């Protein structure tokens, strides 16, 4: 009866069986591995490895999902990395693709730190995750709502920013769940929630908090850059945009002037091709002046893929592929020549290919300090390509564009085609594409075009005197280019002119004079 009520006699009526007591207290398959605080007061030490949030199935499930999301992000990150060099079908973005890569890199870094410090939740990390999620939401709204950014980033960019937003929310939920699970297990196994942390835990909290601060700064800068891109989208192109390459991307075509002179005589149109930068940055203004002076009657230009208002093309993109896209855009615009090709710098490479493929329509060539085929080796150097790729990766941060807009008065014109255009992701991506195939595919295109070049086309060559004095081999390269055709009209060396010969008054006068001779002598 006493045993039923939980009591116990001090003396038993009969002798005890020590073997029976030992058998009764021996563990069996029903014995708990861990004590229950409700049934026992023998709590574990807070430092015991058994005191872990991983005891809860909900925490383990969340960790498994985090690992799954990390694997998916790595796969997506790899696809975007490869698409920079060789675009898989359906993954072409008409912008640079660097924004998509940045968002995915952010999501991957966020997941990595979440897994590393999974069992060590932190309130500062949760606060920063909220800030990170809010900023990414702003990025998603800007990217989707502005037509230009939505057009350039495409579905790849939209998926990337939404995935980064989802991961930011997921890490917030994960950290809060682990915090709850940790408290539950500590109360169950130690009798109270632990408030102290070990030195290792404090170090982990510091590192995770610092990493989240860096993530937040990165997203703040990316948001500012995206705002600038949204503002730049308000700058309308002077010409028209035409879909090329089966509707994959659009090129900008602009023409100005009359196809005949004042007497009604048909004259060839000058087709401008810029050098490292777009035609709009210098040559456009020069051509307007030439039309006003009557030196030429009409001019056109097509922004190569990735320059000014034109979209970027899928990778790889050789010079021949770019020329095909330019030719298609001109055809859609109803421009069929005849042409006087005026090109500067590396643009002469594209003009030579264009001339070879449109021999009947070409009435003259004007090279302004042109690039030689031997220069394609330096254009395609691995060191230059690596630098361009690094610049592209950090371009969404706007480390040069943001200060330029805030402190140097840079406008949307500067960023789209002016002095700051080289800072944009599109420009950097285009130059990276140019670098990747300069000494292979582009050189092959130029070699084959040289073999079929019409030797009777009139050619005028204008060289930079400064460049010739600075580079011993430049003059010899210019002399070799004077033999692209067998009909050299003039070779002028403008003594005080830089590589952009039109930047000086003397250079502009010489270019305008030679253009007039080619146009009216055709």
């Amino acid at each position: 009866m006493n045993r039923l009520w939980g009591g116990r006699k001090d003396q038993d009526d009969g002798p005890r069986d020590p073997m029976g007591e030992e058998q009764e207290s021996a563990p069996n398959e029903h014995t708990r591995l861990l004590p229950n605080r409700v049934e026992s007061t023998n709590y574990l030490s807070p430092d015991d490895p058994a005191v872990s949030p991983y005891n809860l199935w909900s925490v383990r499930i969340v960790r498994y999902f985090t690992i799954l999301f990390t694997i998916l992000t790595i796969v997506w990150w790899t696809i975007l990395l490869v698409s920079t060099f060789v675009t898989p079908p359906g993954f072409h973005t008409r912008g640079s693709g660097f924004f998509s890569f940045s968002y995915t890199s952010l999501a991957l870094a966020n997941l990595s730190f979440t897994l590393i410090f999974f069992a060590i939740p932190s309130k500062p990390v949760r606060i920063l995750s909220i800030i990170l999620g809010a900023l990414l939401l702003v990025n998603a709204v800007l990217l989707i709502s502005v037509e230009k950014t939505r057009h350039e980033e495409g579905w790849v960019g939209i998926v990337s920013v939404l995935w980064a937003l989802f991961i930011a929310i997921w890490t917030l939920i994960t950290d809060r769940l682990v915090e709850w699970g940790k408290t539950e297990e500590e109360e169950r196994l130690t009798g109270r929630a632990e408030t102290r942390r070990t030195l290792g835990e404090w170090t982990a909290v510091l590192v995770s908090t610092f990493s989240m601060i860096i993530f937040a700064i990165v997203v703040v800068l990316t948001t500012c850059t995206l705002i600038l891109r949204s503002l730049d989208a308000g700058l309308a192109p002077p010409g028209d945009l035409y879909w090329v390459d089966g509707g994959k991307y659009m090129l900008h075509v602009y023409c100005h002037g009359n196809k005949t002179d004042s007497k009604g005589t048909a004259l060839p149109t000058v087709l401008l091709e810029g050098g490292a930068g777009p035609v709009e940055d210098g040559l456009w203004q020069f051509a307007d002046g030439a039309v006003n002076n009557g030196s030429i009657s009409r001019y056109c230009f097509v922004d190569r893929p990735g320059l000014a208002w034109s979209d970027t093309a899928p990778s790889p993109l050789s010079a021949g592929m770019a020329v095909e896209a330019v030719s298609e855009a001109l055809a859609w615009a109803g421009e069929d020549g005849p042409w006087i090709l005026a090109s500067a710098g590396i643009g002469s490479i594209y003009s030579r290919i264009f001339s070879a493929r449109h021999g009947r329509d070409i009435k003259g060539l004007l090279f302004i300090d042109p690039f030689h085929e031997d220069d394609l080796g330096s254009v395609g150097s691995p060191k230059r390509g690596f630098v361009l790729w690094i610049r592209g990766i950090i371009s969404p941060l706007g480390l040069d564009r943001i200060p330029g807009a805030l402190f140097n008065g840079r406008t949307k014109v500067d960023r789209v085609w002016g002095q700051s255009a080289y800072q944009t992701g599109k420009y950097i991506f285009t130059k990276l594409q140019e670098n990747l195939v300069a000494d292979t595919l582009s050189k092959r295109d130029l070699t084959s075009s040289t073999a079929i070049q019409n030797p009777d086309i009139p050619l005028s060559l204008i060289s930079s005197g400064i460049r010739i004095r600075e580079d011993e081999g430049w003059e010899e390269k210019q002399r070799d280019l004077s033999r692209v055709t067998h009909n050299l009209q003039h070779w002028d060396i403008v003594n005080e002119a830089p590589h952009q010969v039109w930047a000086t008054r003397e250079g502009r006068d010489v270019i305008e004079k030679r253009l007039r001779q080619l146009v009216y002598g055709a």
Side-chain angles (χ1 to χ4, degrees):
M1 186 65 68
N2 289 334
R3 187 176 296 276
L4 178 64
W5 295 102
R8 183 173 181 178
K9 289 184 179 181
D10 293 336
Q11 291 93 10
D12 286 335
D13 294 337
R16 295 185 178 182
D17 184 0
M19 294 296 295
E21 286 189 0
E22 183 178 350
Q23 185 175 5
E24 183 180 350
S25 60
N28 53 47
E29 65 272 15
H30 300 293
T31 304
R32 292 179 60 88
L33 296 178
L34 297 174
N36 191 315
R37 67 182 180 88
V38 177
E39 300 172 356
S40 172
T41 58
N42 296 324
Y43 297 130
L44 297 178
S45 167
D47 298 325
D48 195 309
V51 183
S52 169
Y54 291 124
N55 295 331
L56 299 177
W57 67 268
S58 56
V59 174
R60 294 197 300 273
I61 288 295
V62 167
R63 180 174 174 81
Y64 294 149
F65 270 106
T66 304
I67 294 173
L68 174 63
F69 293 153
T70 303
I71 294 173
L72 294 176
T73 306
I74 290 174
V75 172
W76 183 255
W77 184 88
T78 304
I79 293 174
L80 295 183
L81 176 63
V82 171
S83 65
T84 302
F85 307 98
V86 181
T87 305
F91 281 84
H92 168 55
T93 57
R94 303 180 188 98
S96 64
F98 293 128
F99 264 80
S100 303
F101 188 79
S102 296
Y103 289 130
T104 306
S105 299
L106 176 67
L108 182 58
N110 202 355
L111 285 167
S112 299
F113 278 97
T114 299
L115 286 174
I116 292 172
F117 305 112
F118 191 86
I120 309 174
S122 169
K123 186 175 182 180
V125 169
R126 292 194 294 275
I127 294 174
L128 289 168
S129 293
I130 295 173
I131 297 174
L132 192 66
L135 290 171
L136 286 170
L137 178 60
V138 173
N139 277 248
V141 171
L142 286 173
L143 194 148
I144 296 172
S145 61
V146 178
E147 181 182 0
K148 181 68 173 176
T149 56
R150 185 174 66 249
H151 168 81
E152 290 182 347
E153 297 301 326
W155 75 271
V156 175
I158 294 174
V159 168
S160 298
V161 68
L162 291 179
W163 182 253
L165 174 60
F166 168 74
I167 294 303
I169 297 172
W170 176 261
T171 56
L172 172 63
I173 295 173
T174 298
D175 196 83
R176 183 65 188 91
L177 179 64
V178 174
E179 175 77 16
W180 168 81
K182 187 173 181 293
T183 302
E184 282 289 307
E185 287 302 284
E186 287 173 349
E187 290 179 351
R188 183 173 74 87
L189 300 176
T190 69
R192 64 182 178 87
E194 188 61 41
T195 56
R196 66 181 181 87
R197 292 184 186 269
T198 64
L199 179 60
E201 289 176 330
W202 276 117
T203 302
V205 170
L206 180 63
V207 172
S208 59
T209 302
F210 183 71
S211 66
M212 290 300 294
I213 292 174
I214 293 178
F215 296 161
I217 293 174
V218 166
V219 180
V220 167
L221 294 174
T222 304
T223 305
C224 293
T225 306
L226 199 55
I227 290 173
L228 287 179
R229 286 183 60 188
S230 301
L231 294 174
D232 296 345
L235 185 64
D240 297 310
L241 296 168
Y242 297 94
W243 289 101
V244 296
D245 196 10
K248 292 179 182 177
Y249 58 100
M250 304 178 79
L251 294 186
H252 173 236
V253 180
Y254 177 73
C255 294
H256 174 67
N258 300 314
K259 293 186 176 182
T260 60
D261 60 12
S262 58
K263 299 178 181 179
T265 304
L267 295 174
T269 299
V270 176
L271 182 61
L272 300 171
E273 187 64 69
V279 174
E280 290 89 340
D281 190 18
L283 281 177
W284 184 19
Q285 295 78 10
F286 162 79
D288 269 338
V291 170
N292 294 334
N293 295 336
S295 299
I296 63 176
S297 179
R298 189 169 185 267
Y299 70 89
C300 290
F301 63 83
V302 182
D303 291 324
R304 295 198 302 270
L307 297 181
W309 283 278
S310 290
D311 299 333
T312 58
S315 295
L317 179 70
S318 68
M321 296 175 186
V323 167
E324 287 298 321
V326 168
S327 301
E328 184 180 354
L330 288 170
W332 282 113
E335 301 291 340
D336 53 4
W339 307 106
I340 299 291
L341 302 184
S343 55
I346 197 171
S348 61
I349 300 293
Y350 297 89
S351 287
R352 289 172 62 184
I353 298 174
F354 187 94
S355 173
R357 297 182 181 183
H358 299 79
R360 295 180 179 179
D361 300 324
I362 309 303
K363 302 303 179 183
L365 294 171
L366 176 65
F367 294 157
I368 306 171
D369 210 34
F371 269 38
H372 193 271
E373 43 261 48
D374 291 344
D375 296 316
L376 290 175
S378 60
V379 173
S381 69
K383 180 180 178 181
R384 180 172 180 266
F386 180 74
V387 171
L388 285 168
W389 183 72
I390 293 297
R391 284 184 57 200
I393 294 300
I394 64 176
S395 64
L397 301 179
L399 298 177
D400 39 18
R401 277 180 283 178
I402 296 172
L406 293 177
F407 307 114
N408 297 328
R410 298 290 183 259
T411 63
K412 60 180 71 176
V413 171
D414 295 321
R415 292 187 294 272
V416 173
W417 56 259
Q419 57 186 324
S420 300
Y422 72 94
Q423 301 170 350
T424 63
K426 275 175 49 177
Y427 180 91
I428 296 171
F429 181 73
T430 297
K431 291 302 168 183
L432 178 59
Q433 286 183 312
E434 194 174 68
N435 164 269
L436 292 173
V437 295
D439 207 25
T440 53
L441 298 180
S442 292
K443 197 166 189 176
R444 182 202 63 188
D445 293 338
L446 183 59
T447 301
S448 60
S449 297
T450 302
I452 61 174
Q453 172 66 55
N454 184 350
D456 298 324
I457 295 178
L459 168 66
S460 288
L461 177 65
I462 302 174
S463 304
S464 161
I466 295 177
R467 190 73 178 267
I468 287 177
R469 289 193 296 272
E470 291 177 348
D471 187 346
E472 295 180 358
W474 193 254
E475 182 176 2
E476 187 59 36
K477 291 177 181 178
Q478 298 292 292
R479 181 175 287 105
D480 188 45
L481 288 169
S482 69
R483 296 189 285 266
V484 167
T485 72
H486 300 162
N487 192 8
L488 178 65
Q489 302 291 300
H490 303 91
W491 179 16
D492 300 286
I493 299 177
V494 185
N495 288 327
E496 301 304 321
H499 180 58
Q500 293 182 328
V501 179
W502 60 90
T504 65
R505 178 61 183 269
E506 183 185 4
R508 289 193 297 271
D509 291 342
V510 172
I511 296 172
E512 192 168 339
K513 178 182 178 180
R514 298 310 178 203
L515 271 179
R516 181 183 181 88
Q517 292 172 343
L518 288 172
V519 169
Y520 288 95

